[in-house]
Amino acid sequence: MEPCLIDVALAVPSSGTFQYSVPAPLRDAAAVGKRVYVNMRSRRMVGYLVGFSAARVVDQVRDIDTFVDEAPILTPAFLELTRWMSEYYLCSWGQAIEAALPAPFRKGRYLMKSRARRATAGAEIVDPDRLTLTKDQAAACERVLERVRERRPGTFLLHGITGSGKTEVYMQVIHEILERGRGAIVLVPEISLTPQTVDRFYSRFGDCLAVIHSRLAQGRRVEEWHRIRKGEAKVVVGARSAVFSPVKDLGLIVIDEEHETSYKQEETPRYHARTVAAKRCELENAVLILGSATPSLESYRASDLGLVRRVELPERIEKRPLPEVEVVDMRLPDGKSDRIFSGRLQERVRECLARGEQAMLLLNRRGFSTHLHCSSCGYVATCPNCRISLVYHYDKASLFCHVCHYRSSPDRLCPACRKHYLHYFGVGTQRVESEAAKLFPGARLGRMDADSTSKQDSHEAILRAFKKKEIDLLIGTQMIAKGHDFPNVSLIGVISADTALHIPDFRAAERTFDLLTQVSGRAGRGDIPGRVVVQTYVPHHYSIQSAKDHDYKEFYEKETVFRQELGMPPYSRLARVVMSGAIEKEVVRQVMLLARFVESRVDAQLYRVLGPAPCLTSKEKGLYRWNFYLKGPSSEEVGARIKAALSEFKKLKVTVTVDIDPQ
């Protein structure tokens, strides 16, 4: 009897699949899309049956152990999408598959029973027929639905100012999608947005809603996956990985706040949810909506070129005015009246609290102080595993590394010069909270950052307390800046608008503009007029002035001139190559060789190597890190050149990672 040969994808760094044979007793059970137990070297692994082979490709073919599943769990569309991901992002097919599945599936587990869905507390079902859309909302819905009715793929950029009702457009389109028996996926950038978004969508769609994000318990996440796969849930709300949800007859994917960098996966495969969503819509004849008040330059330029259809929502609901923005120059005496709070911001906060209204204070840096510094010899406390400063956390009286989580107690004497000249420098959210407690003693304070939200459901608890007006002043990082809708918030204070502006990244101005515009949009969303106070040391920078004027197009025009001069995205595409290893000299030698090797094999008229140079975090978790970039006309072509070079290059004692379209 001829052997039954199958192709198995494994989550190991490999350019292809692995061939195994199926023992005779199991041959009738062999089917594409099933998980399978195999032995890889001396390790038992879960693999994925992705095809059958007509002939041997190796002399000795090992038998599989057994099949995990009674029926295939991976659909042809899912396999096609993940195969494309492996080619685009230069990873193995198995790594792409595992990135798209709940974690327990990767270990061969499979939860079959579904419990009843827990209803969202206090959510009442809303009848969409009783809602009145604005003229712009109605026009936006109709343009998208025209494409939906044709069952053809297409991408729309929904550019709406903050408070213009983008979410209602999403829900109206989903309502018709459901009436046609199809499903929808809605992605949000932050877990902190999920509770509020879930409430809104549950009030409209009830128990046919499923929720997927990384904070869910694994059992619950698998349970939701099964509900979606069986068609019990037709609308999915979640963070980045929800783009892979097994929705039946997918009709729509929405990416809310599409400009957000959190849609980019930082581990292999380093995919971007926006790119994957566009490919999935193409494969399944679905429509993609990219929604934002501050679209990425790539998306906005694509709409200028006609590659994406742009739909505008230029006014807030009920024609509410955009908040008035005051820029405080921290170089002037008013700015220097306090180390953290300018006199103007103190005054505005007190006025807000006196009226019984709420305020939000943004500083996109957690911790109490950013570093411990000796003013005598210049010593700075750094992580022994990573070349970055340790951040002081007041509540734990410890210095922390935000990369590897190393922790130590602060010294009383400088370890370098043994003098009493150690001082805490820089400001984090804990420090802002401490100062706010002194300045506004009657105010009820809350803090929302990665430290205060580390426990299960802590995001939801803080936001619900703020919504119930149990918190007067909410202090936080970018978690508080996006998507939230609190009608009683009349004041936004930006402690430092310069946090992201001076980082060594060509997108620094774009990120600053995005953050300021988004956080400004949290004010004045109800009947109370909004006001924003922005503290900065560079008040005349175009990103800050454009945000002050709520003028995206002005910012876009100025920023694209800069990008075009440099030949940077959206006028080119990038791939980043990172080399890491325990021996710094070897890492430097190898990265120099590889960069020159790549440069020698590309057309200098179309491609350019940038670097090599140490990474921004040049040592991480004990490994030294250097990188370089390859710039070229398209992501596919840049990736192909890197892949070809790596197949020839002989690397020793280093690890190489490639990031296509790095953020």
Side-chain angles (χ1 to χ4, degrees), residues 644-661:
L646 288 175
S647 67
E648 297 180 51
F649 185 75
K650 305 296 183 185
K651 58 184 183 296
L652 300 169
K653 299 179 182 178
V654 296
T655 300
V656 179
T657 57
V658 181
D659 190 356
I660 305 295
D661 303 328

Side-chain angles (χ1 to χ4, degrees), residues 466-482:
F466 194 57
K467 185 176 183 179
K468 292 177 182 177
K469 302 179 184 178
E470 295 169 359
I471 296 172
D472 301 314
L473 194 56
L474 181 61
I475 299 155
T477 57
Q478 63 178 353
M479 290 182 179
I480 69 171
K482 306 159 247 183

